[in-house]
Amino acid sequence: MMTTPANLKPPARLALRGDLFDFTGAPAWGEVDSAAVRFRPDHWLLIENGRIAGAQLEAPDASWTQEDHTGKLILPGFIDSHVHMPQLDVIASYGTELLDWLNTYTFPAETRYVDPEHSRAGAELFVDALLAHGTTAAVAFPTVHKTSVDALFGAAQTRGMRLIAGKVLQDRHSPDGLRDDVDQAERDCIDLIDRWHGNERLAYAVTVRFAPTSTPAQLAMAGALCRADASLYMQTHVAENRAEVAWARELFPEARSYLDVYARAGLLHRRSVLAHGIWIDAADRAALRDSGAQIAHSPSSNLFLGSGLFDWRAAAAGGAAVSLASDVGGGTSLSMLRTMADAYKVQAMAGQRLTAWCALHAATLGAAQALDLTDEIGSLEAGRVADVCVWDWAADPVAHRRMKVARGLHERAFAWMTLADDRNLAAAFVAGTARYRRGAKP
């Protein structure tokens, strides 16, 4: 993995030539010919002082630094709406379902993040790995330790990235070294919010690991933080695994459902990001719709851990927002393209067909809308921050052959989504600065 040095300054005026692709709205389910798709082949994308200034067919004048990527795709950077920074160490771990996987692999790996140097190295690797996979913004879990939060925010800030994160809250059913307590956790959160929330492109998320690892008192504290500042995000897990759902029912018998545990604590609101949501019902979907909260669909993780098959169409029909997430390390790749390919397979198992448009929208404009960030990221609209990536349509002879015989834009985009991965990424720009170039020396 080769990245561009973090202190590199961009040209004031940069023009990128290629096939521009983004969305102007939400594509309908199953629609392969969608007016929401904006495809501008062989155009110049103009970037001025880190923001998109526009797009045009003709080459700009000599005042612009020009990069010719003719024949390549230029897309908004992907948004990963749920991913775990410390879990790179346990990606591709064998043989367990969710709860055993946490105890066997995840919790031991996360305890090491109490060490500042371990946190710093892990955070640097994590953000550079995101960029090398075409992800320029993320909603991420660090660990229970303040050191991990500071390291993650610091690494993202150095690279100018849009990042949403927060100290993990877990005061029970967790091993030594990963438990906090309500009073200290509240003090830590307030300190971190003061330091990082709204600092450049960083935002704080009140971060409940999942309901079973927080006492009712801690959930109430988390809800109070959200009520005190409506600009804060909230991230957690919900209804990922049947055994987890049963456990939550035992611990919170007063709640109608697992999702209702969060609603009762004041944690279900417009800026709530809930990973998974596989085992939810119509009432839960209505609660998601009414609150404006989103489900971060994590298909690779759901398949790998055998958690279940998320019903995307039912969620969409119920009015719930759905974004896409890698959920590494339960997920097996940081690539949002690999995530999209797995999402298609999950829907196919339910007799549904996920279009390339719905998948790509959920990782770009759709995710930005769910996060209230459409004025900043998610599209190639003028005025947006220039978080953009340059991709090869094909990276090997089989993919090249497939592209040659593809009929129509959707078939071509679907084949790209299905066959491509990080090998296809030529460059990733964050606010107009190249933070990753294939083959560049670090």
Side-chain angles (χ1 to χ4, degrees):
M1 178 174 65
M2 297 296 180
T3 58
T4 302
N7 60 357
L8 187 69
K9 290 189 176 181
R13 307 180 92 192
L14 174 66
L16 306 177
R17 184 182 185 181
D19 298 336
L20 310 187
F21 176 91
D22 67 342
F23 294 92
T24 58
W29 187 270
E31 185 178 63
V32 297
D33 296 314
S34 173
V37 175
R38 178 166 55 180
F39 184 64
R40 293 170 284 182
D42 198 19
H43 273 61
W44 289 90
L45 184 70
L46 307 181
I47 299 169
E48 191 164 14
N49 296 320
R51 288 188 177 267
I52 295 171
Q56 61 189 46
L57 265 172
E58 64 275 10
D61 63 40
S63 68
W64 295 80
T65 299
Q66 298 183 13
E67 290 191 17
D68 192 339
H69 298 287
T70 300
K72 298 185 188 301
L73 269 173
I74 299 178
L75 271 76
F78 290 135
I79 304 164
D80 190 338
S81 59
H82 177 70
V83 61
H84 292 261
M85 178 265 283
Q87 292 185 19
L88 293 183
D89 289 348
V90 300
I91 192 172
S93 293
Y94 170 77
T96 59
E97 292 187 358
L98 172 65
L99 299 180
D100 288 338
W101 185 82
L102 289 172
N103 289 315
T104 303
Y105 299 113
T106 302
F107 288 162
E110 291 192 5
T111 58
R112 296 193 289 271
Y113 277 76
V114 68
D115 176 63
E117 178 54 29
H118 187 82
S119 286
R120 185 204 62 78
E124 298 277 337
L125 172 64
F126 175 72
V127 294
D128 283 340
L130 288 177
L131 293 169
H133 286 81
T135 296
T136 55
V139 183
F141 270 60
T143 70
V144 72
H145 313 102
K146 282 181 73 177
T147 53
S148 73
V149 188
D150 286 329
L152 179 54
F153 275 134
Q157 184 179 53
T158 299
R159 290 154 182 80
M161 294 175 68
R162 163 53 73 180
L163 184 87
I164 300 166
K167 174 197 139 46
V168 176
L169 301 173
Q170 52 185 117
D171 66 342
R172 64 172 173 174
H173 300 137
S174 303
D176 292 345
L178 279 188
R179 285 190 310 276
D180 55 12
D181 64 72
V182 175
D183 292 339
Q184 186 60 54
E186 183 177 31
R187 289 192 292 271
D188 288 348
C189 288
I190 291 171
D191 179 59
L192 290 163
I193 290 165
D194 289 343
R195 190 182 317 167
W196 295 111
H197 186 56
N199 185 349
E200 297 182 21
R201 301 186 70 193
L202 308 174
Y204 195 85
V206 175
T207 302
V208 177
R209 174 159 223 123
F210 67 144
T213 51
S214 285
T215 59
Q218 188 172 71
L219 293 175
M221 180 273 288
L225 288 174
C226 290
R227 286 191 296 273
D229 185 349
S231 71
L232 293 173
Y233 290 88
M234 194 287 296
Q235 61 174 341
T236 191
H237 303 80
V238 68
E240 177 179 357
N241 169 284
R242 284 174 169 167
E244 172 211 13
V245 172
W247 191 20
R249 186 180 301 114
E250 292 174 6
L251 293 171
F252 301 94
E254 72 283 359
R256 191 203 68 81
S257 68
Y258 191 164
L259 184 73
D260 189 47
V261 175
Y262 298 124
R264 286 168 170 261
L267 294 170
L268 198 64
H269 54 76
R270 181 68 187 84
R271 290 195 163 197
S272 297
V273 182
L274 300 109
H276 307 296
I278 299 170
W279 305 104
I280 61 175
D281 59 19
D284 289 329
R285 295 182 192 106
L288 290 166
R289 178 199 65 215
D290 294 344
S291 65
Q294 66 175 291
I295 291 294
H297 175 35
S298 309
S300 298
S301 173
N302 299 159
L303 292 169
F304 185 73
L305 296 177
S307 299
L309 305 176
F310 174 68
D311 193 337
W312 190 335
R313 188 168 191 184
V322 178
S323 56
L324 271 175
S326 71
D327 191 31
V328 163
T332 53
S333 174
L334 287 170
S335 170
M336 294 304 290
L337 291 168
R338 298 291 89 246
T339 299
M340 292 175 213
D342 281 344
Y344 176 83
K345 297 166 193 171
V346 166
Q347 298 313 303
M349 288 294 293
Q352 300 291 334
R353 292 294 178 261
L354 179 70
T355 65
W357 307 147
C358 283
L360 287 162
H361 178 263
T364 55
L365 182 61
Q369 288 172 331
L371 294 169
D372 279 336
L373 292 173
T374 51
D375 60 343
E376 179 188 339
I377 57 176
S379 75
L380 303 180
E381 197 68 39
R384 305 300 181 266
V385 176
D387 293 355
V388 297
C389 292
V390 181
W391 298 88
D392 291 328
W393 278 100
D396 60 66
V398 171
H400 278 286
R401 177 62 175 261
R402 180 67 183 92
M403 288 300 163
K404 285 183 179 179
V405 299
R407 299 164 297 176
L409 182 60
H410 183 265
E411 185 170 325
R412 197 177 183 203
F414 183 81
W416 174 71
M417 180 192 88
T418 306
L419 298 174
D421 54 31
D422 56 301
R423 296 171 301 165
N424 294 65
L425 183 64
F429 295 82
V430 176
T433 299
R435 295 298 185 191
Y436 170 84
R437 289 189 189 276
R438 185 171 52 208
K441 293 182 180 180

